[in-house]
Amino acid sequence: KNEATSKEVEEAKEVVTELVHVLLTMTGAPAFREEFSEGLTPFGEDLEIESMTSPGGFLGFDPSTVPVDILTTASRSLRVNRGEVLQEVVRDYELRAIGHDGIHGDDREKGGGHYQEVIKVRAFLEGYRRAEVRRISRETTTLLLDKIVTEGVEGLDLTLASMGRNGDDTSDAGDLNDSLLDYLNDAIRQQEKKVDQLVSSETELEGVTVLPVEVDRTAKLWNVTNENGERIETLDPTDPAVKEIMEDEFLKSQQSDVVDETRSKTAPEQLLLLLCLLRDRIKAEAAFSNDEQGRNLRILAHCIHARSDKERESIIMKEMGSSLNRLESFEELLNSSIEYAESASHQLQPSKTSPLNIFVLKKIQNLIEDIGEKQSWKASGVTGNKP
């Protein structure tokens, strides 16, 4: 993951410090207005602090008077290191505010009340930061869902492979980070509630409309006797009547399973499925790096899940073209995967089976060798058929 550099953190700290001071100056708090240097316009020459401060004196912080442009300008800096820069700057102003208030505390008439304004500004900026993070995550999620619907899994893979990865929230829409997973987890929880409510409402409607009560025929299968005061239930599987009832119940259970599996999913259920698939795919993407090794792992995953050798060959040619170096690099990964699958290392965990299909891997290996021979023959420049 890419973390913010020390230079980026310092630059963000300067921007956030200026923003916090501007907002505190707008409250009309006397100590903060005195601290503000005359003529200083940290967010551009068009920003007039005096015009934004309350003419009525110390009226307190009013979020509705904050210009949108200064928040937009400082948005990226507020998100550096997942808001740690903002918290550090605000802590410094809290200490200064306590010093300004002295023994007067929150009494504005006696010169206090500065600390309360810092708390208000902190809550406002933290709320704005979280809203920005959520907005960006929502835009990224919408982008990826559109890719799944319009271009399928292949389009999603190409998009994820080209997206950046960041350790904090400074990226714009189109990058992968922890906040995106947090947003997806929250969206999945909310969607699960909607689906549960939908299913429960459908069940209630079915309970109202379905009047016939199905009799449990299996209750008649058991012969109940008493021996020495104990209740004993026995079943005779050779009885034709018993056999008929058991076969009927078995067919009913199979039919009910088929109905559940083939039942068309509602729109909320389809969205829930897409969100879950997208979250799991992004988690898997975290294991792939944006280098040659990561590319080879993706190609191998596609080849393993391909339905035919023709489809595998198409994937390999599309991803590697006529590059012999790429083929050799991919073949090295394939050989090591086969060695791992053939080894007994997976048997150290008795509850697990071999994680790789050796038969499929060897088919891919033979395909790679054939493609390599063809490419080498073409690269040699010799005309005619390959011997």
Side-chain angles (χ1 to χ4, degrees):
K1 292 182 179 180
N2 298 323
E3 300 288 348
T5 63
S6 57
K7 181 180 179 180
E8 291 174 338
V9 171
E10 289 300 320
E11 291 176 350
K13 189 175 180 180
E14 291 180 4
V15 174
V16 174
T17 300
E18 293 170 349
L19 173 63
V20 172
H21 203 132
V22 167
L23 297 183
L24 290 174
T25 304
M26 292 170 58
T27 65
F32 292 134
R33 293 191 63 173
E34 291 175 2
E35 286 183 354
F36 195 85
S37 301
E38 294 183 1
L40 180 60
T41 54
F43 293 98
E45 298 179 356
D46 296 334
L47 182 63
E48 296 292 341
I49 299 301
E50 293 298 330
S51 63
M52 293 189 297
T53 54
S54 174
F58 190 1
L59 297 181
F61 178 66
D62 183 3
S64 63
T65 63
V66 179
V68 178
D69 56 342
I70 66 172
L71 293 176
T72 304
T73 303
S75 174
R76 184 181 180 87
S77 299
L78 289 170
R79 291 181 275 121
V80 169
N81 284 354
R82 298 175 70 88
E84 292 182 5
V85 171
L86 172 62
Q87 297 302 325
E88 181 181 351
V89 171
V90 171
R91 279 194 296 269
D92 179 60
Y93 274 95
E94 286 176 350
L95 295 175
R96 293 160 64 176
I98 293 174
H100 292 317
D101 291 339
I103 61 174
H104 303 300
D106 298 335
D107 191 344
R108 295 184 180 180
E109 296 181 355
K110 296 182 179 180
H114 294 80
Y115 180 76
Q116 284 297 322
E117 299 309 310
V118 176
I119 297 299
K120 293 177 185 178
V121 169
R122 180 183 65 180
F124 172 75
L125 291 178
E126 178 62 20
Y128 175 78
R129 184 192 70 82
R130 293 185 181 185
E132 281 290 279
V133 171
R134 189 173 181 83
R135 176 187 63 80
I136 293 171
S137 298
R138 182 173 61 251
E139 292 177 357
T140 304
T141 300
T142 302
L143 168 68
L144 296 176
L145 288 176
D146 288 342
K147 287 292 182 180
I148 295 177
V149 174
T150 58
E151 301 180 18
V153 177
E154 184 177 356
L156 176 64
D157 288 341
L158 292 175
T159 302
L160 290 175
S162 62
M163 294 174 72
R165 293 156 179 77
N166 288 281
D168 57 17
D169 301 322
T170 57
S171 61
D172 296 325
D175 283 353
L176 305 179
N177 51 36
D178 293 335
S179 295
L180 178 60
L181 285 176
D182 293 340
Y183 174 81
L184 284 171
N185 288 329
D186 185 50
I188 289 172
R189 284 192 295 268
Q190 294 180 9
Q191 195 64 24
E192 285 175 342
K193 292 179 181 178
K194 293 180 181 179
V195 172
D196 290 341
Q197 292 175 356
L198 178 64
V199 172
S200 61
S201 62
E202 289 179 350
T203 304
E204 291 176 0
L205 291 175
E206 290 175 359
V208 172
T209 56
V210 178
L211 297 177
V213 178
E214 186 176 353
V215 179
D216 185 9
R217 299 174 62 195
T218 59
K220 300 178 180 179
L221 300 178
W222 301 92
N223 296 321
V224 182
T225 58
N226 290 318
E227 293 183 5
N228 299 327
E230 295 182 1
R231 179 186 174 92
I232 299 178
E233 297 180 354
T234 58
L235 179 69
D236 185 7
T238 61
D239 188 346
V242 173
K243 186 176 181 181
E244 180 183 356
I245 293 175
M246 292 180 66
E247 289 178 351
D248 290 343
E249 293 298 323
F250 177 70
L251 290 175
K252 287 181 182 179
S253 64
Q254 283 189 324
Q255 290 174 356
S256 63
D257 291 342
V258 171
V259 170
D260 290 339
E261 292 177 359
T262 58
R263 181 179 68 86
S264 59
K265 293 184 180 295
T266 61
E269 289 174 322
Q270 291 176 355
L271 179 57
L272 176 60
L273 178 61
L274 285 176
L275 289 173
C276 291
L277 291 174
L278 180 59
R279 179 190 61 183
D280 295 340
R281 182 63 185 83
I282 290 176
K283 287 183 178 180
E285 187 67 22
F288 296 101
S289 56
N290 284 331
D291 54 13
E292 184 179 8
Q293 183 179 6
R295 185 198 66 227
N296 289 338
L297 286 171
R298 290 188 187 91
I299 297 173
L300 180 59
H302 285 302
C303 290
I304 290 175
H305 291 91
R307 288 171 287 187
S308 64
D309 287 341
K310 185 177 181 180
E311 185 177 347
R312 294 188 181 99
E313 183 176 2
S314 175
I315 293 172
I316 294 171
M317 294 302 297
K318 182 178 180 180
E319 296 292 337
M320 300 182 183
S322 58
S323 174
L324 292 174
N325 292 332
R326 288 187 177 182
L327 278 174
E328 291 176 359
S329 174
F330 180 69
E331 190 173 10
E332 290 178 3
L333 171 64
L334 189 58
N335 293 336
S336 61
S337 299
I338 293 174
E339 291 177 3
Y340 169 76
E342 291 177 338
S343 70
S345 59
H346 65 274
Q347 297 177 1
L348 297 176
Q349 298 176 331
S351 62
K352 302 244 181 123
T353 58
S354 177
L356 295 173
N357 189 323
I358 299 177
F359 176 73
V360 174
L361 291 176
K362 288 189 174 180
K363 288 183 68 175
I364 299 173
Q365 184 184 44
N366 295 333
L367 185 61
I368 287 294
E369 291 176 354
D370 291 341
I371 295 175
E373 290 180 4
K374 292 178 182 178
Q375 297 294 349
S376 298
W377 182 257
K378 290 181 180 179
S380 65
V382 178
T383 59
N385 296 328
K386 182 174 75 70

